[in-house]
Amino acid sequence: MKTIHVAPSLLSADKSKLLDEILEVERFGATYLHWDVMDGIFVPNVSYKVEDVKKYAKVHHMVNDVHIMVSDPEIEAQLFIKAGADLLTFHIEAVKSHEEASKLIDEIHKMGAKAGLSIKPMTSAESIFDLLPKLDLVLVMSVEPGFGGQKFMPMAVDKIKALRKEIDSKGYNCLIEVDGGINEETGKLCKEAGVDILVAGSYIFGHDKKERIDSLK
Ligand code: DX5
Ligand code: ZN
């Protein structure tokens, strides 16, 4: 069976002991560390800043998986890669056209990071098929972005299936990640649909992290 990666979302971590939270999830088998970045414009919430990523990017060996939910991804992408993002994921809904998305993917690669593209629940998987050849990852949002602790939207499962089919049949080198409302049960549905990386925030933090990470794998 293929490896399933778990990416704890720091949105639900205890910020007063962030270093311990990060080191714990790494010790318990997480291989990606999911940083949610929000600007209060693209989504009605604010979260991690460049300084946070800079401070903690090198204290662990997980992939710094930075998910930017912002209205000016071109500027923010650069700042977060400089701060230590290994994988930079922006939203297709935040750019004007697929041409712009394509340019930004090239920029991200030029800066030495992997490029991910995220789709909100109302955006179809098929609408970004044209960009798959250039992408390292597609992030399927299974909740409306903005807040942790929401309920999983089952339509994400069909999107993962459609992406898996397209990626495999064309031989692209692109991972599929899902984010929002992931727990043991919804994680299982996504794994069966062909996902590679499970993001989970409220399911992991504030609980027995080892037991929760193991249950997702
Ligand atoms: C939502 C974020 C998610 C969120 C996941 O906008 O992108 O990463 O923190 O949280 P849970 O796992 O609690 O749904
Ligand atoms: Zn996220």
Side-chain angles (χ1 to χ4, degrees):
M1 239 181 63
K2 75 169 183 186
T3 319
I4 292 292
H5 295 276
V6 175
S9 163
L10 290 175
L11 200 56
S12 297
D14 181 344
K15 276 125 202 136
S16 69
K17 48 169 189 160
L18 201 52
L19 179 63
D20 293 341
E21 296 278 70
I22 292 172
L23 296 179
E24 261 186 358
V25 292
E26 179 171 40
R27 185 148 40 92
F28 297 143
T31 38
Y32 283 68
L33 186 64
H34 191 81
W35 294 91
D36 285 304
V37 175
M38 305 174 181
D39 64 354
I41 301 167
F42 184 73
V43 289
N45 195 5
V46 287
S47 53
Y48 289 102
K49 305 263 176 297
V50 173
E51 302 78 60
D52 303 310
V53 174
K54 203 169 183 177
K55 187 167 173 193
Y56 296 104
K58 296 266 186 292
V59 302
H60 63 87
H61 300 95
M62 295 173 282
V63 174
N64 284 295
D65 165 17
V66 177
H67 173 199
I68 57 170
M69 290 159 272
V70 300
S71 54
D72 53 356
E74 290 85 357
I75 296 166
E76 303 274 346
Q78 283 195 27
L79 298 175
F80 279 94
I81 293 169
K82 277 190 197 136
D86 303 299
L87 164 65
L88 195 291
T89 299
F90 64 98
H91 271 267
I92 190 69
E93 301 87 0
V95 292
K96 285 193 201 78
S97 63
H98 280 216
E99 233 172 40
E100 273 199 12
S102 180
K103 263 191 224 159
L104 184 50
I105 295 166
D106 290 340
E107 282 302 313
I108 292 169
H109 285 151
K110 259 187 230 154
M111 291 191 70
K114 303 249 186 214
L117 186 66
S118 184
I119 51 173
K120 295 211 286 182
M122 296 318 275
T123 305
S124 77
E126 289 76 13
S127 70
I128 56 139
F129 275 3
D130 60 315
L131 292 164
L132 289 177
K134 314 185 75 156
L135 285 167
D136 300 295
L137 176 138
V138 173
L139 172 55
V140 176
M141 289 305 301
S142 37
V143 298
E144 278 300 334
F147 300 92
Q150 303 182 71
K151 200 170 175 293
F152 179 81
M153 298 165 89
M155 75 204 331
V157 174
D158 288 333
K159 289 194 199 178
I160 294 167
K161 283 185 189 158
L163 285 161
R164 179 84 277 149
K165 198 171 163 208
E166 179 71 5
I167 289 169
D168 289 354
S169 67
K170 301 274 168 67
Y172 299 144
N173 198 7
C174 178
L175 295 169
I176 306 172
E177 182 176 47
V178 64
D179 183 5
I182 296 297
N183 55 35
E184 183 172 6
E185 188 191 327
T186 57
K188 188 165 180 277
L189 295 175
C190 295
K191 283 191 279 184
E192 284 164 0
V195 86
D196 299 292
I197 307 167
L198 295 170
V199 176
S202 53
Y203 181 65
I204 293 177
F205 290 101
H207 301 277
D208 180 335
K209 297 186 185 71
K210 182 176 180 339
E211 185 248 328
R212 295 279 163 115
I213 290 172
D214 282 346
S215 78
L216 292 175
K217 285 189 172 172

